[in-house]
Amino acid sequence: MDLYKYDVVIVGSGIAGLRAALQAAWTGRGRLSIAILTKVHAMRSHSVSAEGGMSAVLYPDKTGDSLDLHAYDTVKGSDFLADQDAVELLVRLAPEEVRLLDRLGVPWTREPDGRIAQRPFGGMTIPRTTFAADKTGFFIMSTLYNNVLRFDKVHIYHEHFVTKVVIENGEFRGVVALDLKTGELRAFRAKAGILAAGGSGRMYRLTTMAHSSTGEIYGFALREGLPLKDMEFVQFHPTALVPSGILISEAARGEGGYLVNREGERFMQRYAPQRMELAPRDIISRAIVTEIMEGRGLTDPESGMGHVLLDLRHLGERKLNERIPFIRELAIKYVGVDPLKEPIPVRPAVHYIMGGIHTDTYGRVLDVGGNWVRGLWAAGEVASVSVHGANRLGSNSLSECAVWGRLTGEEAAKYSMGLAEPTIDESFRESVKAEEKRIYDGLLHSEGGTVSVYEVRRRMQDIMEDHVGIFRHGSQLGEAAAMLKRLREEARSMRLDDRGKAYNQNLRDLLEVDGMLDAVMAVVAGAYARTESRGAHYRTDYSKRDDANWLKHTLAYMRGGSLELAYVPVRITKWQPEERKY
Amino acid sequence: MVSVTLRVRRQVAGEGRWQVYKVEAASEKATVLDLLLKVKEEQDPTLALRYSCRMAICGSCGMVINGRPMLACQTKLSDLGSTDISVEPMWNYPVVKDLVTDMGEFFDKHRRVKPYMLRREEEIFEGGDEFRQRPEDVERYLDFAYCIFCGLCYSACPRVAENPEFLGPQALGQAARWIFDSRDRGAQERMRIVDGEDGLWSCHYIGSCSEVCPRGVEPAFAIQLLKMRAMRP
């Protein structure tokens, strides 16, 4: 196996990973060796699909906005589960990030005087969502990717699928990755590591997220003994296109779109009379599902899916074409509906995982005892800092990815500058050899697997969709846990049909599903244990928020092959929990 | 249900062949990507293809469908007007396996035009304030900034096929994207890179790049603008 040495290795090439690479390279003034490992081509990570925008307080003097207001909106949106020191850091650094992205080349949509334009978004009391038409994520991604190319010592390893994070004695040592093109395994020994591998919408059947957003890294983290935080909080975006789940951005409602039921009623007036269509996503998603369950929805003839309608006709052609052209294009292209003439069929779909790898405020990865796993950081959706708590506000994730990409990139660079060249010692070689054996002998060359990878994945997605959805109940969650446990056992003999080395996607798919099966258990276990309703986690058998018992973060971790739960307090600085009304 | 015949160009270790799959589509709205994934999951897990976002923004799934370079995820049965579909890997790239091409050289050529903000680096990274642009300044380069690196233009270009050293429409289009950005100061430096035999002047304005671009970037137009700039005294 090839062995490589780097100062910093970054897993993932979305906005968090690329921003981290850029900051690490700049902090080291181009002298640090930095590897970006990504299972796709680096410019294709799921961040490209982010549409609506990036939150930041840019011109407080002109708009009356303030950092405190942004922070309060975020904390309230999180149903008071966010760590408030982290939220304060987010809102303080987000404006700097928007301006840096401007200087790097993002084509922000502008006001006539040259200032950066901002639009309203759900749960935000003042328009502070900065945007580049409705392809904001794409433009940030391509700008970051392009600017990373200015540094010769940042090496991009496209289509390198990380199979293992090597941690020894509480310290990060490196990663092992499968080069999809050649089928070779490569070991990367590094002084510092940043996990920025994104989310896991594909745990579910219907999601706005890319096929690549599978989240096996959560499972791999559990195997290394790392705790996952708050995994039961899964965000459903209210408006995914029916039946594909393709995202129809919240920008559509930010620009003035209506949600209507089959009777043509703007039903949000019964759920969030003040904020209407710009209430937070958890509330709107529950409202839509309630409308459908109570018979006021519509049914897609092809898929049988229940849905409601997103009406944009009153916005007019100019606004559609200038502010949300991609939404118009997607609706025309995929369902044959021109939003100028007809409303769009939409329903909620999985969109973001609030939970993730447990970190402190600065993105340092923590063990279950709260100790830093030296040399390891996590940033972006894969991490849970936590700024989003029980429910993320739209446009806070791009800010999160940029801010923690920057923070972790800078920290990792400084940390590695203080260390001597890493050695490849016997124990690292042993870890690498064991991984080689697992992948090649255990999977690629082993005979006798029986069940199809895709069959297992489908069943996992069905269980999650049908039992761990927007409305949850203890008995359903218990059933899901039992079913997933059985599936986990069955999946130990998944069948590999492709035995070749070059671009073996079947092997990649197997490794993904294998990691996901561990990760979903953390979602279900956290949801089963949490006997309250908070943000995106809604229990029909415990429909109230219970601050006395549950104002705390869940940690799920593996011990002796089984999943255990522990809890840590929420950090509150300024805002005491109050009733959440919109 | 619609019955579809998919003829897929398979290639493993240099050996190519056509393989025929029969697949049932839910409706005419099914995309070529939907069908290929159905084959992969239900019939033949050894089939290799790139895909990710399935909404025509990540640029993964470029391939030649019924003789034309296109994104599989935005090509519906109804667009093709046929249930007999042939799928090949993109032209002008080495094949890794089946529909997966090696895009290494394509990415290298893109990098050669310095596709990033050229300005004093302290000003970029430590500057603090924004570089202001009026809406009309953004309009000058915005269309070129829509490039999703899918590689279809490069696949469709007959000049790339004739002259493998040609930088190609994508890289030149991206040179234009930065040259026409009022915040950038690297126009001269980039013009020196693109103003040569294997750069702008390899383009004969055939226009197939613009025709196949799924995002309306119009590399052919960008190249003509750069040629005019190069000719300016």
Side-chain angles (χ1 to χ4, degrees), chain B residues 87-101:
Chain B
V87 186
E88 303 163 65
M90 284 195 291
W91 301 318
N92 291 343
Y93 299 89
V95 173
V96 175
K97 183 187 170 188
D98 299 340
L99 302 171
V100 176
T101 55

Side-chain angles (χ1 to χ4, degrees), chain A residues 234-246:
Chain A
V234 175
Q235 177 160 84
F236 286 75
H237 193 288
T239 61
L241 203 56
V242 171
S244 63
I246 286 172

Side-chain angles (χ1 to χ4, degrees), chain A residues 26 44 59 99 102-103 105-106 146 149-150 159 181 207 211-212 329 333 457 498 505, chain B residues 41 49-50 52 54 74 76 97 102 110-111 115 117 124 126 129-131 149 177 183 215:
Chain A
W26 175 248
R44 314 205 191 285
Y59 311 106
R99 295 196 161 98
D102 175 68
R103 300 193 301 274
V106 169
N146 278 328
L149 299 179
R150 72 169 69 241
E159 300 187 312
K181 186 167 129 186
T207 176
H211 287 285
S212 55
E329 177 193 319
K333 198 180 283 171
R457 188 172 68 191
D498 192 342
Q505 261 177 340
Chain B
E41 289 170 19
L49 66 143
R50 281 198 188 97
S52 183
R54 56 79 165 95
Q74 66 163 1
K76 300 191 294 293
K97 183 187 170 188
D102 188 337
H110 167 71
R111 186 176 194 162
M117 188 68 78
I124 297 172
E126 309 286 342
D129 210 353
E130 63 217 53
F131 301 151
F149 309 88
R177 178 256 172 268
R183 297 168 292 187
R215 297 259 60 106

Side-chain angles (χ1 to χ4, degrees), chain A residues 556-572:
Chain A
Y557 61 102
M558 291 257 229
R559 180 159 291 173
S562 71
L563 201 69
E564 310 263 338
L565 298 179
Y567 294 90
V568 289
V570 174
R571 291 192 298 274
I572 292 171

Side-chain angles (χ1 to χ4, degrees), chain A residues 19 22-23 26 29 40-41 43-46 48-49 51 58-59 62 95-96 99-116 133 135 138-139 142-143 145-154 158-159 180-182 202 207-213 244-247 300 302 325-326 329-330 332-336 452 454-455 457-458 495 497-499 502-506 508-509, chain B residues 10 12-13 26-31 33-34 37 40-61 72-76 78-79 90 96-98 100-104 106-108 110-111 114-136 138 141-142 144-151 170 174 177-178 181 183 214-215:
Chain A
R19 180 68 187 87
L22 203 61
Q23 192 65 26
W26 175 248
R29 292 298 186 271
V40 293
H41 286 145
M43 73 295 283
R44 314 205 191 285
S45 294
H46 178 61
V48 292
S49 297
E51 296 170 5
L58 289 184
Y59 311 106
K62 288 206 156 67
E96 293 182 18
R99 295 196 161 98
L100 174 76
L101 289 167
D102 175 68
R103 300 193 301 274
L104 290 168
V106 169
W108 294 119
T109 297
R110 304 281 176 165
E111 298 294 349
D113 67 357
R115 277 185 301 136
I116 297 167
K135 287 196 180 131
F138 161 76
F139 281 123
S142 59
T143 301
Y145 171 75
N146 278 328
N147 277 280
V148 162
L149 299 179
R150 72 169 69 241
F151 293 106
D152 290 335
K153 290 191 78 177
V154 178
H158 298 290
E159 300 187 312
L180 291 175
K181 186 167 129 186
T182 61
R202 294 279 159 177
T207 176
T208 62
M209 296 181 78
H211 287 285
S212 55
S213 296
S244 63
I246 286 172
L247 175 66
D300 175 52
E302 197 178 295
F326 195 34
E329 177 193 319
L330 291 169
I332 292 173
K333 198 180 283 171
Y334 290 101
V335 293
S452 150
Y454 309 100
E455 166 72 23
R457 188 172 68 191
R458 204 156 31 237
R495 185 179 74 236
D497 294 276
D498 192 342
R499 302 282 173 172
Y503 221 88
N504 188 335
Q505 261 177 340
N506 192 207
R508 179 205 67 182
D509 296 341
Chain B
R10 305 285 312 265
V12 182
S27 80
E28 292 267 307
K29 283 183 197 156
T31 65
L33 178 63
D34 293 336
L37 291 181
K40 209 171 141 54
E41 289 170 19
E42 296 170 9
Q43 298 181 36
D44 188 354
T46 69
L47 180 65
L49 66 143
R50 281 198 188 97
Y51 57 94
S52 183
C53 76
R54 56 79 165 95
M55 52 192 281
I57 191 73
C58 79
S60 298
C61 63
C73 76
Q74 66 163 1
T75 305
K76 300 191 294 293
S78 57
D79 300 328
M90 284 195 291
V96 175
K97 183 187 170 188
D98 299 340
V100 176
T101 55
D102 188 337
M103 301 185 79
F106 171 76
F107 294 153
D108 286 346
H110 167 71
R111 186 176 194 162
K114 306 199 174 198
Y116 36 81
M117 188 68 78
L118 286 176
R119 235 172 128 133
R120 215 161 48 78
E121 285 194 332
E122 275 71 22
E123 204 181 357
I124 297 172
F125 287 98
E126 309 286 342
D129 210 353
E130 63 217 53
F131 301 151
R132 290 200 173 192
Q133 275 190 318
R134 290 164 303 163
E136 54 269 35
V138 180
Y141 68 93
L142 184 62
F144 306 137
Y146 278 109
C147 173
I148 59 173
F149 309 88
C150 64
Q170 191 270 348
Q174 291 314 289
R177 178 256 172 268
W178 290 98
D181 189 327
R183 297 168 292 187
R215 297 259 60 106

